[in-house]
Amino acid sequence: MNIHEYQAREIFARHGIPVPEAEIAATAEEARAAAERFGGPVVVKAQVHAGGRGKAGGVKLADTPAEAGDRAEAILGMEIKGIEVRQVLVAPAEDIASEAYVGIVLDRARRADTIMVSSEGGVDIEEVAATMPEAIRKVAVDPRYGLLAHQAALLGHHLYDDPGAARQASSIIAKLYEAYRASGATLAEINPMIVNPAGEVKAIDAKMNIDDNALFRLPEIAVLRDTEAENPAEVRAREAELSYIQLDGNVGCCVNGAGLAMATMDLVKYYGGEPANFLDIGGSSNPDKVVAALELITEDPKVDSILFNIFGGITRCDDVANGIVEATSRMELGVPITIRLTGTNEEEGVAILASRGFEAMVDMDRAVETAVGRAGGG
Amino acid sequence: MNIHEYQAREIFARHGIPVPEAEIAATAEEARAAAERFGGPVVVKAQVHAGGRGKAGGVKLADTPAEAGDRAEAILGMEIKGIEVRQVLVAPAEDIASEAYVGIVLDRARRADTIMVSSEGGVDIEEVAATMPEAIRKVAVDPRYGLLAHQAALLGHHLYDDPGAARQASSIIAKLYEAYRASGATLAEINPMIVNPAGEVKAIDAKMNIDDNALFRLPEIAVLRDTEAENPAEVRAREAELSYIQLDGNVGCCVNGAGLAMATMDLVKYYGGEPANFLDIGGSSNPDKVVAALELITEDPKVDSILFNIFGGITRCDDVANGIVEATSRMELGVPITIRLTGTNEEEGVAILASRGFEAMVDMDRAVETAVGRAGGG
Amino acid sequence: MGIFIGDDTRLVVQGITGRDGSFHTRQMMEYGTRVVAGVTPGKGGRTFDGGVPVFDTVEEAVAERGANTSVIYVPARFAADAVFEAADAGIALIVCITEGVPVGDMLRVLPYVREKGARLIGPNCPGLIVPGRCKVGILPGQIVREGPVGIVSRSGTLTYEVIFQFTRAGIGQSACVGIGGDPLIGTDFVDCLAAFEADPETEAVAVIGEIGGTDEQVAAEYVSREMSKPVVGFIAGQTAPPGRRMGHAGAIISGSEGTAEEKIRAFESHGIGVARRPADLVGLIRDR
Amino acid sequence: MGIFIGDDTRLVVQGITGRDGSFHTRQMMEYGTRVVAGVTPGKGGRTFDGGVPVFDTVEEAVAERGANTSVIYVPARFAADAVFEAADAGIALIVCITEGVPVGDMLRVLPYVREKGARLIGPNCPGLIVPGRCKVGILPGQIVREGPVGIVSRSGTLTYEVIFQFTRAGIGQSACVGIGGDPLIGTDFVDCLAAFEADPETEAVAVIGEIGGTDEQVAAEYVSREMSKPVVGFIAGQTAPPGRRMGHAGAIISGSEGTAEEKIRAFESHGIGVARRPADLVGLIRDR
């Protein structure tokens, strides 16, 4: 789960990380008022679940309250990577002596949370890793011991020669790790972390990704989900316990299992088509899910052909067939449907479909090729 | 550090362990009033830092408030193992279906905190261990992982066949471990933990010992020290950063280092004397400590002879000699003093003492034998 | 032979009285797996389906029934506890089917399992099957067939698909292992490849990977360095967009890491034949 | 030879700029110990006494000065951190002089040190000395003398006393190790006995125990099972009352466990000659 910068800032602040004050604004007038309260120059930053907002024009400086209002006006409503900006963060512009990067991420290969710091802050860390890897210092946290004091200390010393700044940075790193763990995060970043001319170290930007699987035990984090900032179809899919991601093609896919769903998309492409979505109905046998899945696909205006690819295991073919029958009796599909059905209760499923005039195939390749053809591609 | 039952109960309660209500009383009238508030029969329990208070008559049942007052009257002011009872705990008497034991203790040999449970509660666990060891189930907690859910579960199942009681016990055990860790404890006991006729599991008695070395980071635990319940000389010694334990003999010992202090006591006994105390002035070279040590020893009326045994290392012989000179110029010792001095700055120390008429020896055995002789023993 | 499970497997089912646990216990018993015990805390003393004793703890299942393998069907919030318990009780192979286990739980579980000398497969996996002999997990028994090909996969139904295609083509399997789709799993490709290399009944191996992480790249290197048997592969997610979690918690391209192209390149550069379609795996295996 | 330290020792002093650290660093250098670096966070870049470079981290001391041994003089609240840091930096021998370390800290430190393959001596110990060659800690160099007797002890000044008596009697030492008086320590009697058994220069060993715990009992068994060299012993605290902490955090009789009688009995039943007075150790060693 993505959360917004302003939400991550609040979590950081709660864990004692020095985060300069800021206000969230949903209108130009709110942004102007916030800038007025702060006094001096401010930064206006788009709050969206997308990287690269700076390059997209989603971060602007403003010298006066009026200018802050204008900047907010320009940013609010703009689209960054297809997502509409609905809120901006207004924060006093900081005097910056130097910028650094601090990030914590789950390192799958090392099976450990890994803390990375770089004295090259304010830029993309992948870029730093590619161009000057020696600037980056990494430390893996042993999950059995947690972050040890000396690890935080040596990361601080890597960033700053000044003992005071190093000490502040070590403390921020330790608190960031606490925030990361307490929030079920798989990523937490401060980029940039700055030193101001007075020698104070502060977190200027804040980013966190949360492990969806941890949300059941973190209700205070779960409520941070901003469904308005997400694709509405994907939000509805999640509510129906479907795994759905909208794409640009015209072959709507409905598959049981994530790996098979990806392989189906790849096969659509292989046969010259373009998948309209990733959709995994999971291992359940609930016909309602099939209905919900068909609704999602048919509501996507790009879809010209629907492809079911079901390999029955826990999922039973007859349940899926019943779901298809029920959905098509309730709504007009409007586009051709191609069904591949094999595995558990295959015969029953095929019979149910046949009774309503649907043909079911056993071979995945043939079904995909057919669906692509029906979409006008291939 | 020892804390009282009522203090341990409060810690337990703060960690969510079901502890029946109770009140602390310093007078018979307070005990009577508490019993009146509770209504039914109550237990009146002496609050002292000593084991075996039950056998000593420090725990009594009372059916009426008046009786509770009488019981408190009898218990308050009594001495249990030399310690005066200044407070009693008054708690409603519980209906008890069964009694169990739960304890957590640092197991030095296994280098782990170890949780012990026994369905034989309300009796001394060492006795159970000796007579029916199969009743005790132990689980070592790996310090890297903490207490794991299944460990608490299997201890609960060991105690109770009833799933509800087992679940409650598991939860209490998990909370007790949290209380133990959060308090810097080296021992935490619930004895007995009871099941009442309604099937509720509760902690009836509460005991905790705290690691003195952990107190610097636990101010809320450090304040629980009840200096009034301790030997006043030992309290003063601790304030002077001396390690002092009063004993029954008449040879007052002042030594640098705990091992040497014990060996000196043993040698006093070997030569037919009885040590009046254990006293370690530590590794410091501060003459003030020597003065404080001499004050403690001379205030003990049993002392007939004073023995200094100093092996200079970090401790410098001249500092100790100066301390002795200063102390004896301020006060009248009233008893003979025997001084053994060797190691760092030995010559300077011997000279300082000689200038004031004290003789210093180099050999430990000769010094101890002399001091014992001067005490009239040996 | 097969790998990890077989005739010596004495299985305890953790969560045997649950919906999934009871269903799949019956399926496994039907397939011939020796289910010696079940565990559901608070339900100790009962009997499952009149034959399998249920205990409160895995410890009892080991002590009283000699269980050496465990399969876990408990809800996600209890899954880590169940693995800890199995490992602590001395279970040698722990198969965790449960989906949705917090990755922070797995961080602590993995070193614990390793220290206890146990092997964990999963979580979020379909388990494993040695055709004709033993099945632990949820892989459908009717699609497998005894034979010489080892199959290892991060996926569930895609594994079935591949097995199905092999079986339809008349090529049987020595063992099929679903290692799970989560970012942190107990047994990786290399562990399975090493086991297949050591298994005399396995003549070739098919590896089914997907986007996310670097496990396939590590496996490719291992194959070229350590394996004598032919290995073929398939990578799902060539059309997956970056930064999106494709169903599996582990199937996500992070920045430039974990793409299908990168994995396919790693396979090819280490001599692993890569199928463009699952169906092509059959031909690739035949050619080796 | 000696044990644990010697000519190859390259020492880093953690807390070198503190009062105790600076005093004992000078003492160790005077004795001939090769002090290659000091560490005090925030004071990196300075030089101690004009010759020893001071770093912010142990990692730097290892990387830039090849330190392989560390001695710790930091305050109790930072002692565990210092041990973690030294072990993580690859230091092979860590000697923690600091007194008053919370036992809960040591619970976590001990497995960490073991996993990193390091040895910890202490905490709350005087360190160790190999007469004429190397000293790490605070043992007074002037009382030792080269010779064939290994001395290991839980105490500080009592160790000096014993060394002093041996030296006065003309019996030198191969090495003297103070393992510390806390309930949890990194190196126990058995570790030292094994090292003395393996050291060709050691001909006999004196073990100085005290009340509390069971380390002496374990050592006694080890001596009778594994050691060819004669061992003599002394136990302090025969007159100590039960339930009271005798200065050392570890010197406490808990219930019926850890009494001097029990330890003396263990020594005697395993063939270790027990001295009634420290002075008798000399005679006992002479008789063996």
Side-chain angles (χ1 to χ4, degrees), chain D residues 84-108:
Chain D
F84 277 122
E85 179 177 3
D88 198 18
I91 294 288
L93 176 70
I94 304 159
V95 182
C96 184
I97 307 302
T98 308
E99 187 181 345
V101 183
V103 75
D105 289 7
M106 289 311 299
L107 273 177
R108 278 160 46 84

Side-chain angles (χ1 to χ4, degrees), chain D residues 109-288:
Chain D
V109 161
L110 293 179
Y112 191 84
V113 167
R114 191 192 61 227
E115 287 170 17
K116 294 285 176 184
R119 170 179 301 289
L120 170 69
I121 296 180
N124 189 18
C125 81
L128 67 168
I129 189 165
V130 171
R133 261 175 270 173
C134 188
K135 133 173 168 157
V136 174
I138 62 174
L139 280 158
Q142 67 274 15
I143 58 170
V144 302
R145 168 184 170 148
E146 290 178 55
V149 176
I151 294 178
V152 55
S153 168
R154 275 168 68 185
S155 171
T157 47
L158 176 57
T159 318
Y160 310 169
E161 181 73 46
V162 171
I163 295 171
F164 179 62
Q165 306 230 11
F166 275 108
T167 296
R168 273 211 303 181
I171 302 173
Q173 303 90 41
S174 58
C176 308
V177 187
I179 60 174
D182 276 1
L184 295 182
I185 50 178
T187 293
D188 58 17
F189 283 131
V190 167
D191 296 325
C192 296
L193 288 166
F196 280 129
E197 175 74 8
D199 172 38
E201 287 179 12
T202 301
E203 292 170 20
V205 184
V207 177
I208 319 300
E210 61 188 35
I211 55 163
T214 56
D215 202 16
E216 289 80 0
Q217 293 88 313
V218 174
E221 238 180 75
Y222 178 84
V223 166
S224 74
R225 206 176 57 239
E226 305 281 350
M227 284 192 71
S228 66
K229 298 178 183 178
V231 178
V232 301
F234 175 78
I235 304 290
Q238 299 167 50
T239 51
R244 304 303 306 271
R245 210 176 90 160
M246 305 301 280
H248 287 163
I252 181 166
I253 299 165
S254 307
S256 59
E257 190 188 279
T259 64
E261 290 66 43
E262 180 185 322
K263 289 163 191 282
I264 290 171
R265 210 179 313 122
F267 273 13
E268 287 177 338
S269 73
H270 287 96
I272 300 173
V274 178
R276 306 310 295 182
R277 308 175 301 157
D280 293 340
L281 283 167
V282 171
L284 280 173
I285 280 278
R286 280 225 178 90
D287 292 347
R288 306 256 153 174

Side-chain angles (χ1 to χ4, degrees), chain C residues 259-274:
Chain C
T259 63
E261 289 66 42
E262 180 184 323
K263 289 163 192 281
I264 290 171
R265 210 179 313 121
F267 272 13
E268 286 177 339
S269 73
H270 286 95
I272 299 174
V274 179

Side-chain angles (χ1 to χ4, degrees), chain A residues 156-157 160-171 195 199-201, chain D residues 42:
Chain A
H157 285 297
Y160 304 114
D161 286 333
D162 175 64
R167 207 163 29 237
Q168 291 175 68
S170 301
S171 161
V195 184
E200 295 166 328
V201 183

Side-chain angles (χ1 to χ4, degrees), chain A residues 1-2 106-113 126 141-144 180-181 184-186 210-217 231 234 243-247 255-267 269-271 274-275 278 280 282-283 309-316 340 342-346 362-365, chain C residues 20 23-24 76-78 99-105 107-108 110-112 114-115 138 140 142-143 154-158 160-162 164-165 168 181-188 191 210-214 234-241 244-252 254-257 276-280:
Chain A
M1 182 179 84
N2 292 314
L106 173 72
D107 184 331
R108 293 163 66 155
R110 296 173 89 161
R111 297 174 162 198
D113 294 316
E126 285 211 18
V141 179
D142 187 322
R144 301 167 305 164
Y180 173 93
R181 268 175 35 113
T186 53
I210 309 293
D211 176 12
D212 293 62
N213 290 345
L215 293 177
F216 72 83
R217 65 164 75 110
N231 179 309
E234 294 179 14
S243 186
Y244 175 76
I245 292 170
Q246 208 163 50
L247 301 170
V255 188
N256 67 321
L260 189 59
M262 282 189 276
T264 304
M265 288 160 53
D266 296 347
L267 217 49
K269 179 99 174 174
Y270 178 89
Y271 284 109
E274 286 290 344
F278 166 91
D280 170 16
N309 183 11
I310 303 299
F311 200 113
I314 312 182
T315 308
R316 287 158 41 173
R340 185 274 178 124
T342 191
T344 311
N345 293 9
E346 176 178 333
V362 169
D363 186 84
M364 170 162 79
D365 281 76
Chain C
D20 290 348
F23 175 78
H24 289 291
R77 65 182 66 214
F78 303 120
E99 188 182 344
V101 183
V103 76
D105 288 7
L107 273 177
R108 278 161 46 84
L110 293 179
Y112 192 84
R114 190 192 62 226
E115 288 170 15
I138 62 174
Q142 66 275 16
I143 58 171
R154 275 167 69 186
S155 172
T157 47
L158 176 57
Y160 310 170
E161 180 72 46
V162 170
F164 179 61
Q165 306 231 11
R168 273 212 301 184
D182 275 2
L184 295 182
I185 50 177
T187 294
D188 59 17
D191 296 326
E210 62 187 35
I211 56 164
T214 56
F234 174 79
I235 304 289
Q238 298 167 51
T239 50
R244 304 303 307 270
R245 209 174 89 159
M246 305 301 281
H248 288 164
I252 181 167
S254 307
S256 60
E257 190 189 279
R276 306 309 294 182
R277 308 176 301 157
D280 293 340

Side-chain angles (χ1 to χ4, degrees), chain B residues 201-257:
Chain B
V201 182
K202 297 181 186 180
I204 294 301
D205 195 10
K207 187 176 177 188
M208 282 186 114
N209 292 347
I210 309 293
D211 176 12
D212 292 63
N213 290 346
L215 293 177
F216 72 81
R217 65 164 75 110
L218 298 167
E220 75 285 5
I221 302 291
V223 297
L224 299 182
R225 188 187 291 281
D226 178 7
T227 51
E228 300 219 331
E230 300 178 337
N231 179 308
E234 295 181 12
V235 172
R236 272 178 39 228
R238 189 170 49 239
E239 280 157 9
E241 293 177 35
L242 301 171
S243 187
Y244 175 77
I245 293 170
Q246 207 162 52
L247 302 170
D248 295 330
N250 63 347
V251 179
C253 303
C254 180
V255 188
N256 66 321

